[in-house]
């Protein structure tokens, strides 16, 4: 190929037009990018709304659970207790052909009431003493009976028994910290320096049935104005039933300026 031919081919290449992007294609590209941006903004708005709705629904659901859970537990335990007590005498009525729900429960409650009346008399106490003497002679049954009797004596209205005598607050386990306990008995400690009166304080550590026993001087015990039943409720509820203001039995009237601004019940 000569030099002249090469120059002609170069000139032909220069004459070939360069392809340009059409104007409508640019418009389509810009419109598509704006559509993508608006759709992304729309998706972010929907996600924010869905998060708000989910948060609102979860809070309302948990509120319903908090309200209905104690009601359901109370109903379930009460219903189970009714069926349990009803089962003592319901087989007797079934054998007689009487099928009335609750009749066995009413009979059981009446029977327990009559037992309480009988055991409160001198004859009932004598029968109970003889029965306990026989039970204590049984190796395994005696331990079970003694433990259950101590638990029932804790809430017994008869304060002459070995029950929780009084609610106490002691400094435990270190200075600045206090613990709820129950005074079960008193003891006189005789030493060379003289005698000292000590109180046997039972401090529950695991619910109500497991705890520690401390011998504490009567001067180091705070006696709140709480009944034994109220103290047991505080222990069982994990402290949720503690009144906002507690006073000791020897405390003076609290000035109004020291009261909490929120309404509370004074014990």
């Amino acid at each position: 190929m000569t030099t002249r031919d090469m120059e002609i081919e170069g000139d032909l290449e220069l004459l070939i037009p360069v392809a340009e992007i059409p104007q409508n294609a640019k418009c389509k590209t810009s419109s598509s990018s704006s559509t993508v941006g608006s759709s992304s903004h729309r998706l972010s708005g929907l996600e924010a709304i869905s998060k708000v709705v989910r948060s609102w629904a979860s809070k309302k659901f948990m509120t319903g659970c908090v309200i209905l859970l104690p009601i359901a537990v109370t109903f379930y335990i009460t219903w189970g207790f009714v069926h349990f007590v009803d089962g003592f005498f319901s087989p007797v009525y079934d054998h007689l052909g009487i099928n009335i729900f609750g009749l066995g429960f009413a009979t059981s409650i009446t029977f327990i009431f009559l037992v309480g009346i009988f055991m409160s008399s001198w004859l009932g106490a004598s029968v109970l003493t003889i029965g306990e003497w026989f039970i204590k002679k049984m190796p395994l049954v005696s331990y079970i009976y003694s433990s259950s009797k101590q638990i029932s004596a804790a809430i017994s209205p008869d304060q002459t028994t070995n029950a929780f005598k009084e609610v106490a607050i002691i400094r435990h386990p270190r200075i600045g910290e206090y613990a709820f306990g129950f005074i079960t008995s008193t003891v006189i400690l005789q030493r060379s320096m003289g005698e000292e009166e000590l109180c046997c304080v039972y401090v529950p550590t695991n619910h109500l049935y497991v705890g520690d026993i401390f011998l504490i001087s009567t001067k180091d015990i705070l006696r709140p104005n709480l009944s034994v039943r109220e103290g047991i409720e505080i222990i069982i509820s994990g402290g949720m039933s503690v009144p906002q203001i507690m006073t000791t039995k020897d405390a003076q009237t609290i000035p109004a300026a020291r009261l909490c601004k929120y309404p509370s019940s004074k014990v």
Side-chain angles (χ1 to χ4, degrees), residues 39-218:
S39 62
S40 63
H41 287 297
R42 190 179 302 169
L43 289 176
S44 62
L46 292 175
E47 289 179 357
I49 293 173
S50 64
K51 287 181 180 179
V52 172
V53 172
R54 286 198 301 267
S55 176
W56 178 83
S58 63
K59 288 181 180 179
K60 297 303 179 182
F61 181 79
M62 291 303 298
T63 302
C65 290
V66 169
I67 294 174
L68 293 178
L69 180 62
I71 298 175
V73 171
T74 303
F75 178 78
Y76 179 78
I77 294 176
T78 305
W79 188 257
F81 175 75
V82 169
H83 274 275
F84 175 75
V85 178
D86 186 75
F88 287 107
F89 288 95
S90 58
V92 178
Y93 291 111
D94 292 338
H95 183 72
L96 297 175
I98 303 174
N99 296 322
I100 300 176
F101 178 75
L103 186 59
F105 176 78
T107 306
S108 299
I109 295 299
T110 305
F111 176 75
I112 294 172
F113 179 73
L114 294 176
V115 168
I117 295 176
F118 177 72
M119 291 301 172
S120 299
S121 63
W122 176 83
L123 181 60
S126 301
V127 173
L128 181 61
T129 303
I130 296 173
E132 287 182 345
W133 183 80
F134 282 105
I135 291 175
K136 289 180 181 179
K137 297 299 181 180
M138 302 178 183
L140 180 62
V141 179
S142 60
Y143 293 106
I144 299 174
Y145 178 78
S146 300
S147 301
S148 59
K149 185 179 179 182
Q150 290 175 1
I151 295 172
S152 62
I155 58 175
S156 174
D158 185 11
Q159 295 300 321
T160 60
T161 59
N162 293 327
F164 295 158
K165 304 297 183 183
E166 195 176 355
V167 180
I169 298 178
I170 63 174
R171 293 178 175 85
H172 176 74
R174 60 181 66 91
I175 298 176
E177 296 184 5
Y178 298 87
F180 274 103
F182 300 96
I183 298 176
T184 57
S185 61
T186 57
V187 61
I188 301 298
L189 179 63
Q190 294 181 349
R191 298 182 297 178
S192 58
M193 299 175 60
E195 295 182 349
E196 184 180 4
E197 183 180 5
L198 303 177
C199 289
C200 184
V201 180
Y202 171 74
V203 178
T205 56
N206 185 7
H207 213 267
L208 184 63
Y209 312 113
V210 179
D212 298 326
I213 299 175
F214 299 94
L215 290 175
I216 303 176
S217 175
T218 55

